[in-house]
Amino acid sequence: MYAVVGATGNTGRPLAEALLARGARVRVIGRSAERLRPLVEKGAEQFIGSVEDRDAMVDAFSGARAVYSLIPQRLDVDDLRAYQRKCGEAIAHGIKKAGVEYAVNLSGIGAQHTEGTGSIAGLREHEDRLNAVVGLNVVHLRGGYFFENHLHGIDMIKKLGVAGSALLPDLSIPQVAARDIAAVAADLLLELGFSGSSKRELLGERDLTMREAVGVLGRAIGKDKLRYVQFAYSAAEFAMMTMGVSQGVAQQLIEVSRGFNEGRVVPEEARSAENTTPTSIEEFSEVFAKAYVGEG
Ligand SMILES: NC(=O)c1ccc[n+]([C@@H]2O[C@H](COP(=O)([O-])OP(=O)(O)OC[C@H]3O[C@@H](n4cnc5c(N)ncnc54)[C@H](OP(=O)(O)O)[C@@H]3O)[C@@H](O)[C@H]2O)c1
């Protein structure tokens, strides 16, 4: 039995689908039966509960040999690091009490640093927390910048005619499809060939600048001249807040951008066949185009 946290999200959903397609028993964890239903229809067992709830995580993981864990993204909390800590402690407690032997945990590039990287430092803290669970075999998947982040820019493109963030326009960074992270997680979970604590960086098909990525996405929606605009940190924080993001979360996300721009959020390894993943931004642009017209 595999327990999948965040089973309706960017990485959890394709992971749960991949495990089910290979005939595995899967328990999908989320807060809404309606959102979990497509997975239940494919044979998954559902568990409704919050990752912030320690007792719920014990029940969610009981009987599972392996867990896929992540700290779900939240945009509305005042203190993002405290929220990450609460979820992380509940997950670690559940793993310990339920006697889970294996975990694949979603982290991010830049997690080699314990500060100066915003919410990524919270992911690092969670790596350390899971590494301290006696007897747990755990792999931390350190993903690059998700392609899916570009979907949050659709509203801005429609309203302002540009795509923008606080990231430098010409900084080449690893950008990766969430489904490729899910595919690696599925292989690791089906084989259970890892022991102790380890990490694996997943860097996408190639490094990309924001200008280049936005150019490809623009062409996919028929806007050949779509421009990427870098916002000042204060303007980006303000823009996020007008979209309903709390100030505390906006500040953490700005610190992530600053971490990229100042060279802290970088991979530790050189690019290799092992950390390169298949999906290109050109392939993802088809998903983007569907989402742009409301079919995603
Ligand atoms: N975006 C990036 O570039 C990037 C890069 C590297 C690492 N990361 C890390 O990746 C993680 C997010 O992974 P993801 O994108 O796969 O997940 P996600 O899409 O943010 O969320 C996964 C699911 O978690 C569920 N959820 C939310 N709050 C919950 C709660 N309190 N209890 C139980 N379930 C809850 C939601 O489903 P329901 O609403 O159906 O419950 C959501 O669909 C974060 O830790 C982020 O820091 C992100």
Side-chain angles (χ1 to χ4, degrees), residues 6 8-12 30-31 35 49-52 70-73 106-108 123 143-146 149:
T8 61
N10 289 320
T11 56
R31 297 165 302 172
R35 285 196 289 277
S50 172
V51 180
E52 294 177 64
L70 58 78
I71 297 177
Q73 190 66 264
L106 181 57
S107 183
L123 302 182
Y145 182 92
F146 289 3
N149 297 340

Side-chain angles (χ1 to χ4, degrees), residues 57-206:
M57 287 304 99
V58 179
D59 294 340
F61 298 158
S62 72
R65 185 157 188 229
V67 163
Y68 176 68
S69 88
L70 58 78
I71 297 177
Q73 190 66 264
R74 252 187 94 165
L75 301 176
D76 58 342
V77 288
D78 289 335
D79 185 342
L80 183 60
R81 294 294 301 278
Y83 159 78
Q84 288 180 304
R85 206 163 288 130
K86 189 170 186 197
C87 294
E89 282 169 1
I91 288 169
H93 176 74
I95 284 175
K96 269 188 249 173
K97 288 282 174 195
V100 174
E101 289 172 68
Y102 293 91
V104 173
N105 172 57
L106 181 57
S107 183
I109 60 163
Q112 64 270 33
H113 300 292
T114 55
E115 57 186 359
T117 54
S119 55
I120 297 171
L123 302 182
R124 163 57 187 273
E125 199 176 296
H126 190 49
E127 289 190 9
D128 292 343
R129 186 179 291 118
L130 292 182
N131 291 346
V133 176
V134 177
L136 180 69
N137 301 298
V138 57
V139 180
H140 305 287
L141 296 182
R142 291 186 176 173
Y145 182 92
F146 289 3
F147 287 158
E148 285 70 14
N149 297 340
H150 292 291
L151 297 169
H152 300 302
I154 285 180
D155 235 28
M156 189 188 299
I157 297 171
K158 286 185 175 169
K159 287 186 184 138
L160 303 178
V162 294
S165 79
L167 290 170
L168 287 162
D170 294 315
L171 179 73
S172 242
I173 60 172
Q175 300 197 26
V176 61
R179 72 174 189 197
D180 289 352
I181 295 178
V184 172
D187 287 345
L188 287 165
L189 288 167
L190 287 163
E191 285 164 25
L192 294 183
F194 51 96
S195 62
S197 305
S198 57
K199 54 188 191 290
R200 178 143 170 213
E201 292 186 330
L202 296 171
L203 308 183
E205 184 253 357
R206 64 184 192 270

